[in-house]
Amino acid sequence: MDPVPVIGGTGALGFGLAARWARAGVPVVIGSRDAGRAQEAADRIEGEARGLENAEAARQGPIVFLTVPFRNQSENLTNLKEVLEPGQLLVDATVPLAAAVSGKATRMLGVPQGSAAQQAQEMAPDGVTVVSALHTVSAPVLNDLDAELDEDVLVCGDKRDDKRRVADVIAKIDGLRPVNAGLLETSRLVEGLTPLLISVNSRHKVHAGIKLTGLPEQLW
Amino acid sequence: MDPVPVIGGTGALGFGLAARWARAGVPVVIGSRDAGRAQEAADRIEGEARGLENAEAARQGPIVFLTVPFRNQSENLTNLKEVLEPGQLLVDATVPLAAAVSGKATRMLGVPQGSAAQQAQEMAPDGVTVVSALHTVSAPVLNDLDAELDEDVLVCGDKRDDKRRVADVIAKIDGLRPVNAGLLETSRLVEGLTPLLISVNSRHKVHAGIKLTGLPEQLW
């Protein structure tokens, strides 16, 4: 299987995903601004993991995951502009929490393009397609490798086949069920689930996830 | 138990809720613009159901459910202005789908107050508190009384006790689990779930609902 680069892979979400993939036998490449910190993180992962500077990491596989805070999304995309190549998929997990501008984590910013994912698409080089996913998976739960996952991942993108390819990678993690949630613009609604879950979490002292009911067995 | 008025109760969502409550032994009052149509709808319900003109219906119980399309929400609230009394709770289930202005049902309008629920609160008479809920429950599924429900209802409001009272009414319907989702402003994020589910439904030919994972047994 192709290696999976995780840009911002030293952060809680990216590292948790990488650790889960590596455990499932998927080779991962942790990207970080600092190659040393990336390698340090990779060393803590059981399985096939390398650590590289973000730009270098992004070259290592056809489906690149971007798991950085919204505050840094634009900067990261600028840095990847000369790196990503036509045909690569960029999976954006960014959520425009108002916390990015010292507001509340239970509120969402309005993004001029409609959503963080659409901002990513606008900034991505020609021929690189953005799919959005993984907004609702709790980083602490991912990082607790003993915790069993049992939840859905809503996947947005303009082409079904792109989403199916991303879904295949996500489904390598036990207990995550990828669901086709619609066009990339639908990411605006999906990104809103994160501040909503944060609101629920603070009230119930949990790390909630989301599941859709009534779906058929065969989703892709 | 107090009767439950459902304003717009001849519509698919309101009627489905009323039918489910009546079956559970909760007396319901169907409200409609037209008293005759309201009574006709009430006659089709098995259980204790009356039909009245909306304003009259709204006087029949302490917790009033508003289940009208966004296009009609403002008009209905104006009509209820002289009717609702301090201490009553108004449960708003309105979703500002772009379909209200001949846009897509998979898109949400920006509401100046932040959400349909906040618009309801702004328009409600002094002393009437708005709680929002029931945006994600499928009307066709509610109306198929043979269909078993097994999903969550996210409840937003500024006071926990108000939400608990509303949750008690919602929980009378088998298979619906009310969850405290946060302040009334959080309704903006919850209202976005409806166009999201419509997007999922169109792709999978289903009537999906939502469930949160990782919540404790005791929620209220």
Side-chain angles (χ1 to χ4, degrees):
Chain A
M1 189 167 174
D2 290 315
V4 176
V6 183
I7 308 306
T10 53
L13 177 63
F15 185 79
L17 290 169
R20 296 262 177 175
W21 274 317
R23 195 174 64 163
V26 178
V28 293
V29 184
I30 299 267
S32 168
R33 255 179 292 196
D34 181 90
R37 288 193 54 219
Q39 189 53 53
E40 232 171 73
D43 289 342
R44 285 188 286 125
I45 285 180
E46 270 184 69
E48 202 180 328
R50 285 191 297 156
L52 295 170
E53 195 273 315
N54 277 327
E56 211 38 59
R59 291 194 176 93
Q60 308 302 316
I63 305 182
V64 178
F65 287 76
L66 181 65
T67 61
V68 298
F70 183 63
R71 201 177 24 241
N72 307 121
Q73 190 210 32
S74 175
E75 179 197 340
N76 271 277
L77 289 166
T78 301
N79 295 341
L80 293 176
K81 198 120 199 163
E82 307 298 319
V83 175
L84 294 172
E85 302 213 332
Q88 278 188 300
L89 289 179
L90 180 67
V91 185
D92 186 56
T94 310
V95 178
L97 296 181
V101 293
S102 67
K104 292 185 184 182
T106 53
R107 288 179 171 168
M108 195 164 65
L109 296 173
V111 180
Q113 297 87 343
S115 62
Q118 288 163 287
Q119 171 162 292
Q121 184 62 76
E122 185 182 276
M123 296 188 69
D126 285 352
V128 173
T129 306
V130 172
V131 167
S132 92
L134 293 163
H135 313 85
T136 58
V137 183
S138 154
V141 176
L142 276 177
N143 279 284
D144 173 5
L145 293 179
D146 293 332
E148 266 186 48
L149 300 170
D150 178 23
E151 61 189 87
D152 289 348
V153 172
L154 302 181
V155 182
C156 300
D158 288 338
K159 287 194 186 146
R160 192 174 186 285
D161 194 54
D162 293 338
K163 288 182 274 193
R164 197 194 41 71
R165 287 175 62 204
V166 171
D168 284 347
V169 179
I170 292 169
K172 295 280 179 195
I173 297 179
D174 259 358
L176 294 186
R177 177 178 71 161
V179 175
N180 181 358
L183 298 175
L184 194 67
E185 64 163 56
T186 311
S187 191
R188 178 186 189 168
L189 307 169
V190 176
E191 291 167 20
L193 289 170
T194 311
L196 174 58
L197 289 177
I198 290 171
S199 172
V200 169
N201 287 347
S202 74
R203 273 165 182 79
H204 298 290
K205 316 285 170 231
V206 293
H207 300 289
I210 177 186
K211 226 177 161 145
L212 299 187
T213 64
L215 295 190
E217 207 48 37
Q218 179 67 37
L219 282 173
W220 295 94
Chain B
M1 190 171 173
D2 290 315
V4 175
V6 183
I7 308 305
T10 54
L13 177 63
F15 186 78
L17 290 169
R20 295 263 177 174
W21 274 317
R23 194 174 64 162
V26 178
V28 292
V29 183
I30 299 269
S32 168
R33 256 181 290 196
D34 180 272
R37 287 193 56 219
Q39 189 54 52
E40 233 172 71
D43 290 343
R44 284 189 288 126
I45 285 180
E46 269 184 68
E48 202 180 328
R50 285 191 298 156
L52 294 170
E53 193 274 321
N54 278 327
E56 210 40 59
R59 292 194 175 95
Q60 308 302 316
I63 305 181
V64 178
F65 286 76
L66 182 65
T67 60
V68 297
F70 183 62
R71 200 174 29 239
N72 308 121
Q73 190 211 32
S74 174
E75 178 197 341
N76 271 277
L77 289 165
T78 301
N79 294 340
L80 293 175
K81 199 120 197 161
E82 307 297 320
V83 174
L84 294 172
E85 301 212 334
Q88 278 186 301
L89 289 179
L90 181 66
V91 185
D92 186 54
T94 309
V95 178
L97 297 180
V101 293
S102 65
K104 292 185 183 183
T106 53
R107 288 179 170 170
M108 193 163 66
L109 296 172
V111 181
Q113 296 88 343
S115 61
Q118 287 163 289
Q119 171 162 292
Q121 184 64 75
E122 185 183 275
M123 295 188 70
D126 285 352
V128 172
T129 306
V130 171
V131 167
S132 91
L134 293 163
H135 314 84
T136 58
V137 183
S138 154
V141 176
L142 277 177
N143 279 284
D144 173 6
L145 293 180
D146 294 331
E148 265 188 48
L149 300 170
D150 178 23
E151 60 189 88
D152 289 349
V153 172
L154 302 181
V155 182
C156 299
D158 289 337
K159 286 193 186 149
R160 192 175 186 284
D161 194 54
D162 294 338
K163 288 183 273 193
R164 197 192 42 70
R165 288 175 61 204
V166 171
D168 285 346
V169 179
I170 292 169
K172 295 281 179 194
I173 297 178
D174 259 359
L176 294 186
R177 177 178 72 159
V179 175
N180 182 357
L183 298 176
L184 194 66
E185 64 164 56
T186 311
S187 190
R188 179 185 188 168
L189 308 169
V190 176
E191 292 167 20
L193 289 170
T194 311
L196 174 59
L197 289 177
I198 289 171
S199 172
V200 169
N201 288 347
S202 75
R203 274 164 181 80
H204 299 290
K205 315 286 171 229
V206 294
H207 300 290
I210 177 186
K211 223 175 163 147
L212 300 187
T213 64
L215 295 190
E217 209 43 40
Q218 178 69 37
L219 282 172
W220 294 94

